Structure formats: structure tokens, C-alpha cells
Amino acid sequence: MSWLFGSKQEKKETPVAPAGQAGFDANQISDISSILKSNTLDPTKLHPLAGLDKDIEYLDLDEEKLTSLEGAGNGLLPSRGWTDDLCYGTGTVYVLGLGLGGIRGLNEGLKNLPQGRVDPVTNQLRPVPFKLKLNTVLNQVTKFGPHMGNNAGVLAIMYNLIDSSLDNIRNKHDDLNSLAAGFLSGALFRSSKGLKPMGYSAGAMTLVAAAWCGLKRVIN
Amino acid sequence: MSTPEADHSRDPCPIVILSDFGGAFSMGAIGGSIWHGIKGFRNSPYGERRIGAISAIKARAPVVGGNFGTWGGLFSFYDCSIKAIRKREDAWNAILAGFCVGGSLAIRGGPKHTFNSAVTCACVLAVFEGVGMMFQRYMAWANKPVAMPLPEQQAGPAPLGA
């Protein structure tokens, strides 16, 4: 069953190098930079083209690079670009919407539980089976949860796409972009319902974007 | 933890679930708008094609996105949980996660339906993993290191009898 639960982790003993063998005393080393800067590894003796007379440089992998846009990096998570923003933003909002809608559905289901019927023969209240109650609640949860989650997720996709586009057009990431993206996505979301709902939705989304900007300020 | 096959191109585990929810939802919603836009356009009578496409997108694309998102997010959730329990990363993780996802999504259809769905999902994931492994092996075979060509013989003393 080791393929299922994983094998036991074996402790590996790290052999301690005797002093002097590796060119330094292992017991006197406190951190890595003292090894690299010690006399045994004099960078000036190496070829000058290797550029080793500089300080220690670390490997900088390209795909791990954070976004270099001005004003970016004040979010809750580090971002590597617009795909990260889109995925994390949409995912968070979608899960939040799903959860909130699910809670609302739970509430509705518990409020509208089926009542037991009075038996006409014995005149006693017949209780409703548990399965029926569970089914009612689950029906309400799966009705409200995905509905709210889907709407919230679509709004988040539009917001993030517009926000990233504005960022790249204006070459900076600030609150103005967020507000504009909120306004545009809200307007687009209700664009087929007429001007008035469009205005309401745009205003509400602008407020949400403003709240998000304020939250970022408070946290940082 | 010796997991040489660990995938370092993805974010660390608990947080990547959110990213997978979002990525799968976006993929489903954007792909669904293209799919249902074309479908709504083609299925509408002349003169109402544009509005037909828009209403089809509005009605169906978020649902497709939601289905994709739930699937992807649940899969990522189970994948991370199984990784945390087994403390290793291999193809079995994805297959077990697929089994759990298939079962979870069909849990309301009764035990038989749940089990069938779980097995189907696990099989699909097993095929994916198998194809991925085959592809990986093929790439490794196609890009295998080639020995350096031998250097030209130094013009030394001519061999005897030449």
C-alpha cells in the first residue's frame, strides 16, 4: 500500500566532513556566504571575464519574475502578470460568490422545509422523512450557490480583463484603472437590460472596485 | 521529501486551488461564450442573429464557466489534499483526484451513479496521465544528448608502415 499512502520517510544521515579536508573547517562555518567569500575561493584568481569579482548573484528565472508594472505589487498576493491577476481574482470572487450563494440557499431551504401532513385516519402528524428535508435544502443550495457564483465570476473576469488592459495601455497600475474597470464591467454586465439598470450596475461595481482599492490600502 | 517529479512551474499547494478555480472558470466562460455565441447565431432566424447570439451567451456561458470552474477547482482541491496525505507526486495523485471529483459531482445521483461516474473520471484522468507520460518519454528520446564528435586526429608521427 506504499503507493497509496507514501512510504516512510527515511532519515538520511549527513556525513560531516572532517576539518581541513574540504579546505575549511565545517564546524566554524555559520552561513553560506562565509564559505563563498573565504580565501579558499578567491574570485580574483579566476578569469576576469567570468565577472566573479562582483558580489554573489542569484539565479533569476524568467518565468518566476514578478510583474514590473509601475504601482503593481500592492495586492494581497505577488503577481507575475495579467494571467495571475485573472486566475486568482476570478477564483477568489467565484469561490466567495459560490459560498455566499450557498449560505443564502441554505437559509432559504431551512426556511421552506416541507411540513408533515396530518394523517386523515389516525389524525396524527406524519413526520417528513429526513431524505426529503435534505433534498429540499440541497436543491436550494445548488440553485442559489452556482447562480451567484457564476454572476460574480463573470463580473470578475470582465473586471480583471479590463483592468489589465488599462494597466498595459497606461503603463501603470493605480486606483483610477480599478475604478474605470469596475465601471465598464458593471455597465457591460447589464448592457442588454437598458440604460437604467446599466447605470445602477456600473455604479455598484465602481463602489466595489473602490472598496477593493481601500482594502488594499488598509492591508499594506 | 524526495519528489524529483514535483512540478515547480505551479504555485505552492493550498493557494493554487484559487488559481485553478479562476483559471478553469475563465476558460469555461470565455470558451463558452465563443461556443454558444456561434451556436446562438446559427440557430437564430435571419434578422435576429446578433441578439440571438447575445442571449445565448448570456444564458449559457456562465453556466459552462461554472461547470468548468467547479470541476477544475475541486480537482485541484483533491489533488492538493492527496499530495499532502501521500507526500509524493506521481500519476496516481491525478487519478485518485479524478476519482474523487467524479464521485463528488455525482454524489446526488445515488451510490451506483456516484461510483460509475467516479470510475469514468478516474479512467479519463488515467488516459490523460498516460498520454502525458508517453509524450514526455518521446520528448526525452527525441532530445537525448548526443556524444560530441571525436576531434580530428592530431598530426603526430606517422604510423609505422604508412
Side-chain angles (χ1 to χ4, degrees):
Chain A
M1 286 303 270
S2 74
W3 61 271
L4 184 58
F5 296 113
S7 54
K8 262 188 190 162
Q9 299 288 318
E10 286 173 22
K11 275 210 172 155
K12 279 181 195 158
E13 290 180 14
T14 45
V16 178
Q21 189 181 331
F24 55 85
D25 188 359
N27 295 322
Q28 292 173 359
I29 301 295
S30 58
D31 57 344
I32 194 83
S33 55
S34 60
I35 304 176
L36 292 179
K37 285 181 181 169
S38 64
N39 286 333
T40 53
L41 203 110
D42 190 9
T44 53
K45 282 183 194 156
L46 293 171
H47 196 272
L49 269 185
L52 289 174
D53 47 346
K54 285 179 245 160
D55 219 354
I56 301 173
E57 286 183 14
Y58 295 98
L59 211 59
D60 193 13
L61 294 178
D62 214 26
E63 61 264 31
E64 294 290 323
K65 220 187 257 174
L66 296 182
T67 177
S68 56
L69 213 58
E70 179 193 342
N74 59 351
L76 303 186
L77 287 170
S79 159
R80 281 166 304 205
W82 67 276
T83 45
D84 262 19
D85 289 343
L86 180 67
C87 286
Y88 278 106
T90 309
T92 315
V93 173
Y94 175 64
V95 171
L96 276 182
L98 206 60
L100 280 180
I103 289 171
R104 185 169 163 221
L106 189 68
N107 189 23
E108 296 279 327
L110 289 178
K111 237 193 300 182
N112 300 323
L113 277 183
Q115 302 297 321
R117 277 191 308 124
V118 177
D119 197 330
V121 181
T122 57
N123 218 8
Q124 278 175 332
L125 192 69
R126 240 193 258 161
V128 181
F130 172 73
K131 267 190 154 179
L132 203 56
K133 287 183 184 172
L134 182 71
N135 207 25
T136 310
V137 173
L138 284 180
N139 276 342
Q140 295 299 310
V141 169
T142 50
K143 180 179 155 197
F144 283 96
H147 183 250
M148 195 161 173
N150 290 347
N151 285 343
V154 167
L155 270 174
I157 289 182
M158 291 196 287
Y159 169 82
N160 277 310
L161 285 181
I162 296 173
D163 195 21
S164 304
S165 315
L166 288 178
D167 282 356
N168 281 327
I169 290 170
R170 294 185 57 215
N171 265 332
K172 61 177 162 179
H173 180 83
D174 57 2
D175 291 355
L176 201 62
N177 284 349
S178 276
L179 293 180
F183 185 87
L184 286 177
S185 56
L188 190 62
F189 185 65
R190 279 267 177 263
S191 57
S192 56
K193 286 270 162 66
L195 273 183
K196 214 171 164 187
M198 236 169 110
Y200 285 145
S201 145
M205 270 304 284
T206 315
L207 281 184
V208 171
W212 165 237
C213 294
L215 180 73
K216 277 195 293 192
R217 293 253 165 108
V218 168
I219 285 175
N220 288 308
Chain B
M1 228 183 289
S2 83
T3 52
E5 62 271 40
D7 187 0
H8 293 292
S9 63
R10 284 161 60 76
D11 287 349
C13 221
I15 199 74
V16 83
I17 299 174
L18 277 183
S19 171
D20 280 347
F21 258 113
F25 183 87
S26 313
M27 209 157 61
I30 294 171
S33 7
I34 296 171
W35 175 264
H36 284 289
I38 293 172
K39 212 173 148 190
F41 188 84
R42 286 170 54 97
N43 288 343
S44 304
Y46 290 109
E48 292 179 11
R49 301 203 117 175
R50 210 175 313 157
I51 193 75
I54 290 174
S55 45
I57 288 173
K58 271 174 56 188
R60 302 300 308 168
V63 178
V64 177
N67 290 345
F68 267 71
T70 339
W71 205 97
L74 264 187
F75 180 79
S76 183
F77 168 74
Y78 281 122
D79 200 32
C80 278
S81 312
I82 291 169
K83 258 184 225 168
I85 294 170
R86 293 185 56 210
K87 299 222 182 340
R88 55 165 66 181
E89 289 193 28
D90 52 13
W92 286 106
N93 279 356
I95 295 170
L96 288 173
F99 185 84
C100 294
V101 173
S104 307
L105 289 180
I107 195 86
R108 292 192 68 191
K112 199 174 170 190
H113 183 191
T114 307
F115 183 74
N116 284 346
S117 175
V119 170
T120 312
C121 236
C123 289
V124 170
L125 260 298
V127 170
F128 277 11
E129 289 291 317
V131 169
M133 256 181 216
M134 267 164 59
F135 193 70
Q136 208 175 358
R137 207 161 282 185
Y138 171 74
M139 290 305 280
W141 172 78
N143 295 334
K144 68 172 177 278
V146 184
M148 289 243 291
L150 284 175
E152 291 288 320
Q153 283 289 323
Q154 294 286 328
L160 287 177

XYZ file of all heavy atoms in Angstrom, chain A residues 2 9 17 22 37 66 88 125 186-187 190 195 220:
98
model
N 2.171 1.071 -0.218
C 3.000 2.266 -0.133
C 2.711 3.205 -1.296
O 2.967 4.388 -1.207
C 4.462 1.883 -0.120
O 4.860 1.477 -1.405
N 9.258 8.121 5.494
C 10.395 8.987 5.204
C 11.597 8.478 5.990
O 11.533 8.355 7.212
C 10.075 10.416 5.630
C 8.904 10.993 4.903
C 9.266 11.294 3.459
O 10.328 11.801 3.188
N 8.371 10.956 2.553
N 31.965 16.386 7.143
C 33.310 16.359 6.578
C 34.324 16.693 7.654
O 34.114 17.622 8.429
C 33.411 17.376 5.450
N 37.939 19.637 3.235
C 37.260 20.387 2.184
C 37.846 21.779 2.027
O 37.264 22.615 1.369
C 35.781 20.487 2.507
N 33.032 33.443 0.422
C 33.939 34.580 0.432
C 35.270 34.274 1.114
O 36.086 35.162 1.271
C 33.273 35.768 1.144
C 32.207 36.439 0.295
C 31.632 37.602 1.036
C 30.554 38.277 0.233
N 29.819 39.242 1.035
N 8.357 38.709 -11.143
C 7.118 39.421 -10.843
C 6.914 40.522 -11.863
O 7.840 40.960 -12.533
C 7.194 40.004 -9.435
C 7.281 38.960 -8.339
C 7.313 39.616 -6.990
C 6.118 38.007 -8.413
N -6.278 34.364 -10.109
C -6.502 34.482 -8.678
C -7.711 35.339 -8.378
O -8.515 35.018 -7.499
C -5.259 35.032 -7.981
C -4.251 33.962 -7.705
C -3.099 33.863 -8.444
C -4.494 33.020 -6.722
C -2.182 32.860 -8.218
C -3.593 32.017 -6.480
C -2.434 31.943 -7.230
O -1.553 30.944 -6.997
N -49.848 13.742 13.244
C -48.930 14.404 12.310
C -47.883 13.406 11.833
O -47.184 12.808 12.649
C -48.245 15.584 13.011
C -47.482 16.520 12.076
C -48.454 17.269 11.198
C -46.644 17.483 12.890
N -19.278 46.722 -14.915
C -20.656 46.780 -14.449
C -21.605 47.181 -15.555
O -22.692 46.616 -15.696
N -21.183 48.142 -16.380
C -22.036 48.581 -17.476
C -22.217 47.472 -18.498
O -23.317 47.229 -19.001
C -21.435 49.813 -18.133
N -24.757 44.552 -17.517
C -26.192 44.775 -17.655
C -26.525 45.495 -18.965
O -27.563 46.134 -19.063
C -26.688 45.619 -16.482
C -26.928 44.822 -15.232
C -28.361 44.372 -15.154
N -28.579 43.540 -13.983
C -28.579 42.227 -14.015
N -28.357 41.595 -15.128
N -28.810 41.544 -12.915
N -30.726 51.304 -20.171
C -29.762 52.264 -19.632
C -29.787 52.333 -18.116
O -28.753 52.446 -17.475
C -30.045 53.654 -20.204
C -29.374 53.944 -21.539
C -29.670 55.365 -21.961
C -27.864 53.750 -21.423
N -1.914 47.128 3.281
C -0.491 47.472 3.131
C -0.122 48.613 4.074
O -0.273 49.743 3.773
C -0.228 47.862 1.678
C -0.291 46.645 0.804
O 0.373 45.663 1.078
N -1.103 46.687 -0.224
